[in-house]
Amino acid sequence: MRINTAYTLFGLLSVCLAGAVITSCRGIEPITPSTGNEVTGGSEAGEVKGFFLLNEGNMGSNKATLDYFDYATGVYTRNIFAERNPGVALELGDVGNDLGIYGGRLYAVINCSNLVEVMDVETARHIAEIPLPNCRYITFDGGYAYVSSYAGAVELDPEYRRGYVAKIDTVTMQVVDTCGVGYQPEEMAVVDGRLYVANSGGYMAPDYDLTVSVIDLATFEVCNEIEVAPNLHQVKIGGDGMLYISSRGDYYGHQSSTWVVDPSTDEVVRELQLLQNSDMAVYGDSLYVISHSWSNVSLDYSTGYAVFDTREGITVTRNFVTDGTEEEITTPYCIAVNPSNGDIFLTDAKDHVTPGRIHCYGQDGVRKWSATTGDIPAHIVFTRKQLKSLDEI
Amino acid sequence: MALALAAMLAGSCFFAASAQDRDSTAISEEKNWASDTTLSIDEVMVVATRTSQEVVPVQMLSGEKLRSLGTHSIADAIRYFSGVQIKDFGGIGGLKSINVRSLGSQHVGVFYDGVELGNAQNGIVDLGRFSLDNMESVSLYNGQKSATLQSAKDYASANAVYLRTKKPRFTDGKRNNWNIGLKGGSFMTVNPSVLWEHKISDRLSLSASTEFLYTTGRYKFTYAKQDGYDTTGVRQNGDVRMTRAEVALFGDIEGGYWRAKVYFYDSERGYPGAVVRGKFVHQDRQWDDNFFAQGSFKKDFAPWYSLQISGKYAYDYLHYLADPRLDVTAMYVDNRYRQQEAYLSAAHRFKPLRWWTLSLATDFQWNSLDADLRDFVYPLRYAGYGAAATAFEFGGLKLSASLLYTYIHDVLRASDAEMDDRHQLSPAVIASWKPFRDIDLELRAFYKKNYRMPTFNDLYYTFTGASWLEPEETVQYDFGATWHLIRSRGRFRGLDIQADVYFNQIDNKIIAMPTSNQFRWTMMNLGYVEILGVDAAAQGYFRFGPVDVSPRVNYTFQRARDLTDPTSEWYGGQVAYIPLHSCSVTLGAAYSSWSFNYSFIYTGERYESSANIPENYAQPWYTHDISLTKSFLFNGWELQATALVNNILNQQYEVVKCYPMPGTNFMIKVNFIL
């Protein structure tokens, strides 16, 4: 009797297991499709038809993804790259660090994949892949793309290693020249044939770099170095023609802040004190600055959503959100403003390991809509050409 | 193919017959696996005792079974236990850490011959480092081991793995035993080993063992998508060169024993790293040196009083190098970490009445960490553990309760900051009941609350460390049953079944949170997780004519919900990398000098993040492994030859995203036993 029970039990367990194996046989995995959600009503698209958003994805997880928002339909679509490019091995790559549009092409700088992915802006289909070790940011001028890279050659001490800027011909997609700059260069901006490169020195903490390297694009050589502040990050050109440069600070005495450099004299004009800076965007005479920093003293984050008037030189508000919805934002990460209608886009990176959110605010600071993004939504570029749907390509 | 194998397996369970346990009693062949009745306190005896005598859930693999399941390390074997996830970064050299009942790797204490292996730096023991070569048994205890004479640290983790090395045994007249082995196979692996056991006197014996391992760690892997890309690469920079040496003394005294051991491990390995688009090859390297010396003494001074003393000194050195001269994309990192640990424990057991036991244990531990990091604070930790426990036994009812007090005092040698002392109380209550006299059915339950202290990395790692962290708290509730059946004749010889339902809570879970950008993270007490689980295991023993067959089935269900943030869109999502269902099956068959083992592991679908969305979906994976051993007896010596084939279906799978696992691989092992 008991023996039978034993046999039966074993039999049952084995059958269950056999069942589990049969039902769960692995096939080849399908490509993860995009997911589209109508987040707002469709609207008369102005000059700007929509935007692309690059999600960084955590380092080592190969989870950089691309999203697209379409004004005409009001649809926010997550993860569009994989299904449009099934032949690109391992999808978009590891850590998306910058996004740009130039000459009908969409460029995504994929930092830990050491490449720039070049796509058609109307289809998001792969055109070319430009290998560039430890590439960070991209900007364009006169038919060339300029990409900053941490990976300069090691000279004597491997700890102190300068970065460089690569000059890429946007017709041939080849690197045609390089120019050494400071340590761990980040964002760049072009003013009057000169490229301003913010150097961070992020690999040498706490001995951060303090400088902006200025490259003369005619000779592609460094023509000046401007000492600004430790751990520089972003460079934006304000409505007043000045350069607005963010410093991440050194996490000790120096807080993150925003600096103004006059490109006509290459002099530091002023520091916008009390304007901590995680990300910024320019819209007309307004400079939108968001900040999110952890304090080991108060054991809390301090968060700001400021607007600085570049013409008047004053901070207009430290919180442009007027409907109280900023309370729902955990980790403000990226800001962008639609140049044609002034829509403000704010992303929330949450805990960095689950998908984030994007929120759209009107110029009145009232939230219009929200959508779920990929992991670490970080870089937005507005497009003047509507992305074709999957059936059209 | 998978289907055919499963059917074969299912079939074999029906017609298979008879066995003697080759599993839980391998340590003492003379002892029938089911004959033992009392839970002996002697550590050595505990191993020989049928594991079901424990009142907490325990699983054990030992002897030949252990070696037939694991090709390289302890981690390979532990995968077959219920309730366990091994985080495996692939290959022989990749980190393999164990997560029991979803409480996290840092809640698993790993004990080597009775003394805990520490890692004050990150709290994780890499089980891939521990060889199966000289291992006698591996056991996993949920809650805590419930021996009445044990150190305070035996009470101090939520789950514990006990690794026990071989104790020398000499057949009549022999004074020396030799076991010379050579293993080799896939990934260009070469692994020679020597074990020498020497009988110094009737009461004193010595065991010395050493091994060397080299592997290139290279294997092919494939990533493919339906109607999409299909790319193949070779895993690189996964090479390992390792030397291990161990010398142990085993002494018997009246009413007790003493042990002493010296352990040395030296290795160099590459970090194979994540496989991502544009980067298949990494260059980071790591060098490790581990040394420890430990000893223990146990004596029953009177029928009512026993004493156990143990102590240890350990030194661990780690050097990590990422060199941009080898790969321009790398950030230069060149750091050396040195840890030291000193440990002393005294445990007393009083038995005032036949049915009543009282135990007291006090442990002291000292840890230090030096690292050539900038602005490093050079922490020292003084920890005191005090445990009081009592156990009652009335007929079929066993009750025990324990209370552990933990005191932590950290000193920062390179900082003026004063750290607050920490005090914690961890209670546990365990009960078991055998309701019937003639049916070997036992019901059990336990409750345990335990704390994990933040590690040195959590607290003091330059930039990310957060000295204000609170300990992580775990609460476990478990209800289970075991049932044993023994037959002395016929085809069916026995059956062990155990099943447990449990509910766990983890509060103040320490997780890394980004500060303002990807460069800066900090540790926070943020997480709250609830786990509802079922562990079930069945082991059968059959004898079919001259063939012994022993099938074993393990099943695990775990609903681990991340309840950290109620406002999150992903609130309540299944915790990353925890499958809802997983199971393993092993089937051992022995005939004369031949023995065969088949094993199967299935890990169900999982998500790589608590956001359970298609982007994070991970397919189930399963592997089939087989091994065949033949022994040849010559005049006075024995030759054992084993051939193993792992992942025979060549499944391309990952345990951790971006870390591909090896496809089909093989190994040949030859041992000369003298």
Side-chain angles (χ1 to χ4, degrees):
Chain A
M1 172 59 199
R2 282 212 203 112
I3 294 178
N4 287 339
T5 318
Y7 276 93
T8 312
L9 273 168
F10 254 109
L12 278 175
L13 272 169
S14 310
V15 169
C16 290
L17 281 171
V21 174
I22 294 159
T23 52
S24 61
C25 262
R26 279 169 70 111
I28 299 182
E29 249 184 317
I31 299 247
T32 308
S34 66
T35 31
N37 281 312
E38 197 176 320
V39 292
T40 177
S43 61
E44 181 71 11
E47 201 185 328
V48 167
K49 308 293 183 203
F51 65 82
F52 293 97
L53 184 150
L54 180 63
N55 298 288
E56 290 183 356
N58 244 309
M59 199 180 284
S61 69
N62 201 52
K63 279 175 77 176
T65 55
L66 193 64
D67 299 349
Y68 176 72
F69 172 72
D70 190 68
Y71 267 107
T73 57
V75 173
Y76 188 90
T77 312
R78 271 196 323 190
N79 193 17
I80 62 166
F81 183 84
E83 68 180 8
R84 285 163 188 260
N85 299 283
V88 175
L90 302 181
E91 296 87 30
L92 197 49
D94 193 32
V95 188
N97 205 70
D98 200 14
L99 194 61
I101 291 176
Y102 189 75
R105 283 163 182 187
L106 176 65
Y107 294 77
V109 181
I110 313 297
N111 181 209
C112 297
S113 288
N114 307 301
L115 58 89
V116 179
E117 168 67 33
V118 187
M119 293 158 275
D120 184 300
V121 78
E122 286 181 85
T123 61
R125 295 284 294 262
H126 171 84
I127 293 173
E129 171 184 314
I130 306 162
L132 251 182
N134 214 333
C135 44
R136 299 290 298 171
Y137 282 87
I138 190 163
T139 193
F140 306 91
D141 188 68
Y144 294 97
Y146 298 95
V147 179
S148 57
S149 162
Y150 281 4
V154 180
E155 281 153 16
L156 283 174
D157 186 345
E159 195 153 358
Y160 294 89
R161 181 165 60 123
R162 291 178 177 273
Y164 67 92
V165 173
K167 179 178 179 180
I168 296 161
D169 184 327
T170 57
V171 176
T172 62
M173 296 297 167
Q174 299 294 317
V175 175
V176 292
D177 205 354
T178 62
C179 175
V181 290
Y183 298 100
Q184 289 81 52
E186 301 284 19
E187 201 172 43
M188 301 154 290
V190 180
V191 181
D192 295 335
R194 304 210 298 169
L195 184 73
Y196 289 81
V197 187
N199 300 306
S200 69
Y203 280 179
M204 310 184 304
D207 299 335
Y208 292 103
D209 200 328
L210 304 166
T211 65
V212 167
S213 301
V214 187
I215 299 174
D216 181 347
L217 290 181
T219 60
F220 207 53
E221 277 173 10
V222 172
C223 60
N224 200 0
E225 267 191 6
I226 312 165
E227 192 172 309
V228 183
N231 203 358
L232 300 178
H233 181 205
Q234 294 184 319
V235 188
K236 306 283 181 199
I237 304 164
D240 57 350
M242 293 288 173
L243 292 169
Y244 290 82
I245 299 170
S246 66
S247 150
R248 292 188 184 107
D250 62 5
Y251 308 97
Y252 287 89
H254 290 89
Q255 293 275 19
S256 151
S257 79
T258 313
W259 296 75
V260 188
V261 168
D262 183 347
S264 65
T265 60
D266 283 359
E267 303 261 314
V268 175
V269 179
R270 67 181 281 203
E271 178 188 4
L272 306 182
Q273 276 178 348
L274 303 174
L275 209 58
Q276 295 196 16
N277 192 327
S278 305
D279 195 22
M280 58 182 165
V282 172
Y283 176 66
D285 289 328
S286 297
L287 180 75
Y288 288 79
V289 181
I290 59 166
S291 61
H292 183 63
S293 56
W294 171 260
S295 162
N296 283 354
V297 180
S298 66
L299 302 190
D300 202 359
Y301 292 102
S302 60
T303 302
Y305 305 91
V307 181
F308 180 79
D309 186 318
T310 53
R311 186 196 296 266
E312 301 293 329
I314 53 162
T315 302
V316 181
T317 174
R318 294 204 172 267
N319 184 4
F320 62 76
V321 180
T322 54
D323 59 0
T325 52
E326 77 275 18
E327 294 297 321
E328 294 163 24
I329 298 173
T330 321
T331 313
Y333 202 75
C334 155
I335 184 158
V337 186
N338 180 335
S340 81
N341 70 1
D343 277 354
I344 304 160
F345 297 94
L346 246 180
T347 70
D348 182 353
K350 303 276 186 190
D351 59 4
H352 282 212
V353 293
T354 55
R357 298 277 286 171
I358 183 165
H359 306 286
C360 173
Y361 288 89
Q363 278 291 312
D364 55 1
V366 174
R367 187 183 285 181
K368 291 181 169 178
W369 54 265
S370 301
T372 298
T373 63
D375 292 4
I376 320 179
H379 307 277
I380 289 172
V381 64
F382 295 95
T383 176
R384 289 173 164 75
K385 287 182 177 148
Q386 191 183 23
L387 180 72
K388 289 178 180 158
S389 73
L390 200 52
D391 322 323
E392 293 172 295
I393 58 173
Chain B
M1 185 69 176
L3 191 147
L5 273 163
M8 180 197 88
L9 179 77
S12 68
C13 294
F14 287 117
F15 62 68
S18 97
Q20 200 167 344
D21 174 26
R22 312 192 62 79
D23 203 51
S24 51
T25 55
I27 192 163
S28 54
E29 289 296 332
E30 68 277 11
K31 224 169 209 169
N32 186 296
W33 68 278
S35 68
D36 204 15
T37 47
T38 54
L39 173 61
S40 169
I41 308 312
D42 185 310
E43 279 289 310
V44 178
M45 295 300 288
V46 167
V47 176
T49 306
R50 213 178 65 212
T51 51
S52 66
Q53 292 298 333
E54 261 292 342
V55 290
V56 295
V58 56
Q59 300 172 73
M60 179 162 92
L61 285 167
S62 61
E64 286 312 312
K65 185 76 177 178
L66 180 62
R67 266 172 292 283
S68 67
L69 287 177
T71 40
H72 302 293
S73 73
I74 291 298
D76 294 331
I78 283 184
R79 299 186 303 165
Y80 293 93
F81 288 150
S82 296
V84 165
Q85 263 79 50
I86 296 276
K87 204 165 195 187
D88 187 343
F89 288 84
I92 294 174
L95 171 73
K96 291 164 183 60
S97 64
I98 172 177
N99 181 359
V100 180
R101 293 186 167 183
S102 300
L103 292 171
S105 311
Q106 287 154 325
H107 287 279
V108 186
V110 180
F111 292 76
Y112 197 81
D113 284 329
V115 182
E116 189 171 17
L117 292 163
N119 188 339
Q121 189 182 348
N122 61 23
I124 293 175
V125 175
D126 182 358
L127 290 166
R129 305 280 178 93
F130 294 95
S131 166
L132 285 163
D133 203 59
N134 63 333
M135 208 56 70
E136 183 67 62
S137 69
V138 178
S139 331
L140 169 67
Y141 290 77
N142 296 116
Q144 62 198 26
K145 197 169 68 160
S146 52
T148 46
L149 186 60
Q150 60 187 20
S151 71
K153 288 214 89 182
D154 287 286
Y155 299 91
S157 43
N159 295 286
V161 170
Y162 288 83
L163 309 178
R164 181 149 294 280
T165 57
K166 273 189 194 135
K167 179 182 187 283
R169 278 185 297 278
F170 301 93
T171 48
D172 32 44
K174 271 186 92 178
R175 295 192 76 84
N176 293 291
N177 294 331
W178 289 89
N179 187 337
I180 300 162
L182 181 62
K183 209 157 62 169
S186 297
F187 329 120
M188 289 286 286
T189 305
V190 188
N191 180 199
S193 63
V194 179
L195 170 72
W196 174 52
E197 294 170 335
H198 178 61
K199 186 172 179 177
I200 299 168
S201 73
D202 281 348
R203 303 207 126 185
L204 183 62
S205 56
L206 175 143
S207 160
S209 98
T210 182
E211 71 177 306
F212 170 82
L213 181 141
Y214 175 77
T215 177
T216 61
R218 283 172 185 250
Y219 53 87
K220 268 194 180 166
F221 61 89
T222 299
Y223 283 111
K225 290 277 163 127
Q226 208 176 306
D227 304 320
Y229 61 82
D230 186 341
T231 185
T232 297
V234 175
R235 205 76 176 112
Q236 291 184 56
N237 200 41
D239 59 301
V240 182
R241 177 199 50 71
M242 177 279 277
T243 312
R244 176 185 62 83
E246 244 170 298
V247 179
L249 284 170
F250 301 82
D252 289 332
I253 52 171
E254 195 156 338
Y257 61 82
W258 61 271
R259 307 270 181 269
K261 153 162 290 192
V262 176
Y263 176 99
F264 176 72
Y265 178 95
D266 168 74
S267 75
E268 174 183 348
R269 71 191 60 213
Y271 265 106
V275 172
V276 299
R277 180 182 179 192
K279 190 155 186 70
F280 280 24
V281 183
H282 295 251
Q283 47 65 40
D284 333 24
R285 298 198 77 72
Q286 181 175 313
W287 292 262
D288 284 278
D289 278 311
N290 307 103
F291 165 84
F292 68 75
Q294 70 182 41
S296 60
F297 163 88
K298 191 234 146 181
K299 185 170 164 69
D300 300 322
F301 285 94
W304 54 270
Y305 177 69
S306 308
L307 172 70
Q308 176 186 290
I309 291 172
S310 48
K312 177 179 182 173
Y313 169 79
Y315 171 81
D316 298 300
Y317 167 80
L318 187 160
H319 174 203
Y320 176 85
L321 175 68
D323 192 343
R325 284 165 290 202
L326 301 173
D327 174 357
V328 289
T329 66
M331 171 178 166
Y332 178 66
V333 182
D334 185 9
N335 289 128
R336 289 162 182 81
Y337 302 86
R338 291 177 176 84
Q339 290 192 66
Q340 291 185 82
E341 177 173 309
Y343 169 76
L344 192 63
S345 163
H348 314 264
R349 182 187 57 205
F350 306 93
K351 214 166 172 175
L353 294 165
R354 198 176 49 79
W355 48 269
W356 182 30
T357 314
L358 268 172
S359 330
L360 276 176
T362 45
D363 294 12
F364 173 78
Q365 187 172 311
W366 170 87
N367 287 91
S368 75
L369 174 63
D370 295 351
D372 54 359
L373 295 166
R374 292 223 195 182
D375 301 320
F376 193 61
V377 294
Y378 294 87
L380 292 179
R381 173 168 288 182
Y382 300 87
Y385 301 86
T390 182
F392 303 93
E393 204 172 332
F394 311 100
L397 183 69
K398 290 179 205 164
L399 274 176
S400 69
S402 66
L403 187 64
L404 170 74
Y405 166 71
T406 308
Y407 167 78
I408 303 279
H409 176 68
D410 284 0
V411 174
L412 311 182
R413 283 168 287 162
S415 161
D416 297 332
E418 290 254 340
M419 296 298 298
D420 290 338
D421 290 352
R422 298 162 186 272
H423 309 265
Q424 299 294 344
L425 281 175
S426 314
V429 180
I430 304 165
S432 80
W433 181 44
K434 196 173 169 229
F436 310 108
R437 217 172 194 353
D438 51 348
I439 300 175
D440 199 356
L441 172 74
E442 202 163 70
L443 304 174
R444 65 187 172 205
F446 78 81
Y447 158 83
K448 180 169 183 176
K449 187 170 180 173
N450 196 65
Y451 295 90
R452 157 171 102 76
M453 287 300 155
T455 62
F456 281 160
N457 274 4
D458 294 337
L459 295 165
Y460 311 121
Y461 196 77
T462 310
F463 306 134
T464 61
S467 56
W468 54 85
L469 284 176
E470 297 291 320
E472 240 176 67
E473 179 187 311
T474 62
V475 179
Q476 302 181 78
Y477 303 88
D478 178 288
F479 294 93
T482 60
W483 181 47
H484 302 279
L485 201 57
I486 310 142
R487 288 288 173 275
S488 52
R489 44 199 304 159
R491 291 173 177 174
F492 170 71
R493 290 299 176 95
L495 179 66
D496 290 351
I497 290 183
Q498 59 173 326
D500 286 86
V501 179
Y502 53 89
F503 176 70
N504 297 340
Q505 293 163 298
I506 315 171
D507 207 355
N508 270 339
K509 195 171 163 65
I510 297 171
I511 47 184
M513 280 295 286
T515 55
S516 44
N517 53 57
Q518 286 237 41
F519 293 106
R520 280 304 157 105
W521 293 65
T522 190
M523 308 306 289
M524 289 187 195
N525 286 109
L526 264 185
Y528 176 66
V529 175
E530 283 183 4
I531 303 122
L532 182 69
V534 176
D535 288 355
Q539 163 100 47
Y541 310 94
F542 300 87
R543 173 162 287 172
F544 194 64
V547 186
D548 289 341
V549 179
S550 50
R552 178 187 175 110
V553 180
N554 283 61
Y555 168 78
T556 305
F557 167 86
Q558 281 187 62
R559 181 78 181 99
R561 304 198 320 145
D562 184 341
L563 303 172
T564 300
D565 176 9
T567 66
S568 162
E569 206 174 335
W570 323 110
Y571 180 73
Q574 179 83 356
V575 172
Y577 291 114
I578 305 293
L580 216 49
H581 305 280
S582 51
C583 70
S584 68
V585 176
T586 63
L587 179 68
Y591 166 71
S592 160
S593 59
W594 292 86
S595 68
F596 167 81
N597 191 76
Y598 161 78
S599 50
F600 168 76
I601 281 193
Y602 172 85
T603 297
E605 57 183 33
R606 296 141 293 144
Y607 290 93
E608 289 144 0
S609 150
S610 58
N612 299 167
I613 53 172
E615 282 88 338
N616 295 324
Y617 176 81
Q619 282 203 80
W621 61 263
Y622 42 90
T623 54
H624 305 267
D625 302 346
I626 50 171
S627 74
L628 187 65
T629 302
K630 162 83 178 148
S631 23
F632 304 90
L633 274 174
F634 297 93
N635 192 20
W637 62 285
E638 188 186 345
L639 179 96
Q640 256 181 28
T642 303
L644 305 104
V645 184
N646 295 329
N647 192 2
I648 50 184
L649 297 187
N650 195 28
Q651 188 167 93
Q652 299 293 307
Y653 69 106
E654 291 174 324
V655 176
V656 180
K657 186 173 161 64
C658 303
Y659 290 82
M661 298 292 288
T664 304
N665 60 89
F666 73 93
M667 194 63 59
I668 288 181
K669 204 161 77 174
V670 182
N671 284 77
F672 300 91
I673 301 158
L674 193 65

